[in-house]
Amino acid sequence: MSAVPLRCAAAFGLALLLAACAGTPDAKPGGPALRPLLTAYREARPGVVTGSVSYLQRVALPPDAELQVQLVDDTRADAPAAVLAERRYSELGKPPFVFELATDPARIDPRHHYSVRAGIRSGGQLHFVNHLVYPALTRGAPAHLDLIVEPVR
């Protein structure tokens, strides 16, 4: 096959891909049309969990607000969850807040249950926390999560 038809075939394939993405209402960066590609990339990094944290309330965070995100092993219900990775982020700006947690892949036991926790603190007080469990890494759980935190009551 000569170089010209090969280039034409590549250009045609790229045009089809772009047309498919452009024709969907969710074809923005990170939207559902692109999630399979992004998920495949993220799952190729053992021991790494990525994602975002958002809240639904229309409020600005104080300048000293800090986001804390943890990857925990919560397999045992009768014991405190073991923290495998933790990150803190300051100077948050507006949500969503992107995070990445990394741990040694050898510490991940496929029989265990892992989840991600998030909280936003300011002035020494917890203001937002996730109330739902967000499983990660094992038992079919994803390596990329979009967490929603809610006000602490």
Side-chain angles (χ1 to χ4, degrees), residues 38-128:
L38 296 174
T39 301
Y41 166 73
R42 290 180 181 114
E43 289 175 351
R45 300 168 58 200
V48 177
V49 178
T50 60
S52 67
V53 176
S54 299
Y55 55 87
L56 303 177
Q57 291 68 23
R58 293 185 172 264
V59 296
L61 294 174
D64 70 333
E66 180 180 70
L67 170 67
Q68 177 184 22
V69 186
Q70 297 177 324
L71 173 64
V72 297
D73 180 347
D74 53 7
T75 304
R76 294 184 53 192
D78 61 341
V83 178
L84 275 71
E86 179 177 324
R87 294 280 307 265
R88 293 176 186 264
Y89 300 91
S90 56
E91 300 178 15
L92 297 177
K94 295 181 181 179
F97 312 115
V98 177
F99 71 86
E100 179 174 297
L101 298 169
T103 189
D104 180 3
R107 294 182 68 191
I108 305 297
D109 184 336
R111 299 169 297 173
H112 284 210
H113 180 266
Y114 301 94
S115 63
V116 175
R117 296 178 180 173
I120 299 175
R121 294 181 180 275
S122 172
Q125 292 190 2
L126 185 63
H127 292 281
F128 290 90

